[in-house]
Amino acid sequence: MKVDRRGLSSFCYGSSIVQLSFSNGGWGATLADIYARKADVLLRGYYGWNSRRALQVLDQVFPKDASIQPSLVIVYFGGNDSMGPHSSGLGPHVPLPEYIENMRKIALHLKSLSETTRIIFLSCPPVNEERLRQRASGIFSEVVRTNELCRRYSEACIDLCQEMGLKVVDLWTAIQKQDDWLNACFTDGVHLSAEGSKIVVEEILKVLKEAEWMPCLHWNSMPTEFAEDSPYYLVAADGKTTLNPSKWTFH
């Protein structure tokens, strides 16, 4: 059997929510586990980045002339953009109108990669303001990060996706449906715990299952690599056949 994995890849592009998604039972690692033998999940996450920085290197991360383009790109920016502005003009803050246009440019670039490249945006999740205050560090100047600012940027991302016909996960709402979300869903008030990541995975899989994309990118609809029977597998109880584990999953 010849296996062609070209293009069977999902890129996760974003800030620290993406970079850390293979840590602490993260959502990126869980997706890679679920899609084992079906597609590769690749991280392009960068601690501290905002949508401005993402645009600066967009052509380098996703070159239009690449011979193989991704099947799916999951994009998250907004948490750093939504932080309050610093008096120096430095820092990650991006005004809301500019954030919207930056995300629009990112979407248009990704849509131009190929006719079969699919896109899912993740909106800005909430934060635990009290924990952030408790963990404030003297190495930083004043940091303004509030749940209300996260809400505004989340809603703007959702509105943009609806305007452009893009799939979007409303993380601000989904996480706050969880019981005790303030304590259960974060490691530090901002970044996601394993419990918070479970919500992200569930919401992404829901989008992939319901999307009318051809081919379908939901893991249970995708072919499994080297799925044929083999006499080298564990022998079944009848002592005459083997058990094919290629589609076994813990999920």
Side-chain angles (χ1 to χ4, degrees):
M1 174 185 178
K2 182 179 180 181
V3 178
D4 187 354
R5 294 288 292 274
R6 291 179 301 172
L8 295 178
S9 60
S10 169
F11 279 80
C12 303
Y13 185 45
S15 57
S16 55
I17 294 289
V18 173
Q19 181 174 335
L20 297 176
S21 68
F22 272 45
S23 303
N24 301 307
W27 59 272
T30 301
L31 286 175
D33 188 12
I34 291 171
Y35 277 84
R37 299 179 65 171
K38 293 176 180 286
D40 298 318
V41 178
L42 306 174
L43 288 191
R44 295 296 182 270
Y46 306 94
Y47 221 115
W49 278 29
N50 60 13
S51 61
R52 283 179 184 165
R53 187 72 179 97
L55 273 179
Q56 288 179 334
V57 300
L58 191 58
D59 285 310
Q60 298 175 55
V61 180
F62 300 102
K64 291 186 178 183
D65 60 354
S67 59
I68 301 172
Q69 296 292 1
S71 303
L72 173 68
V73 184
I74 300 171
V75 180
Y76 168 73
F77 292 101
N80 294 319
D81 299 67
S82 67
M83 292 172 64
H86 192 270
S87 58
S88 67
L90 301 171
H93 170 72
V94 174
L96 187 57
E98 182 188 344
Y99 167 74
I100 295 169
E101 290 310 305
N102 289 347
M103 297 300 279
R104 185 191 308 277
K105 291 174 183 176
I106 291 172
L108 289 172
H109 180 91
L110 295 175
K111 289 177 72 173
S112 73
L113 295 180
S114 78
E115 293 183 357
T116 56
T117 295
R118 311 303 183 186
I119 306 164
I120 299 175
F121 274 19
L122 307 181
S123 82
C124 190
V127 295
N128 182 329
E129 295 180 28
E130 179 60 29
R131 187 177 295 182
L132 284 174
R133 283 192 290 270
Q134 293 172 356
R135 294 177 62 89
S137 171
I139 67 171
F140 297 115
S141 183
E142 182 184 6
V143 175
V144 178
R145 192 190 290 265
T146 69
N147 214 24
E148 174 59 22
L149 287 171
C150 291
R151 180 190 64 80
R152 295 177 195 172
Y153 281 69
S154 173
E155 291 181 354
C157 178
I158 293 167
D159 289 344
L160 174 66
C161 289
Q162 291 174 344
E163 174 193 330
M164 298 185 70
L166 299 174
K167 303 298 183 183
V168 62
V169 172
D170 179 358
L171 287 185
W172 194 84
T173 299
I175 286 177
Q176 292 185 83
K177 290 179 180 178
Q178 172 78 13
D179 293 340
D180 194 28
W181 67 271
L182 281 166
N183 297 311
C185 292
F186 305 105
T187 59
D188 57 4
V190 175
H191 300 105
L192 298 173
S193 64
E195 195 65 31
S197 281
K198 285 180 184 177
I199 298 171
V200 180
V201 171
E202 289 171 1
E203 295 297 320
I204 290 173
L205 290 180
K206 188 185 303 181
V207 170
L208 291 170
K209 187 173 184 179
E210 295 175 356
E212 296 179 354
W213 290 336
M214 294 299 293
C216 179
L217 297 181
H218 186 262
W219 70 274
N220 208 25
S221 298
M222 297 178 69
T224 301
E225 186 178 53
F226 298 115
E228 64 271 19
D229 292 333
S230 169
Y232 308 126
Y233 288 139
L234 291 173
V235 180
D238 62 12
K240 300 177 181 179
T241 59
T242 56
L243 298 173
N244 187 334
S246 62
K247 295 184 181 180
W248 294 357
T249 178
F250 290 104
H251 300 280

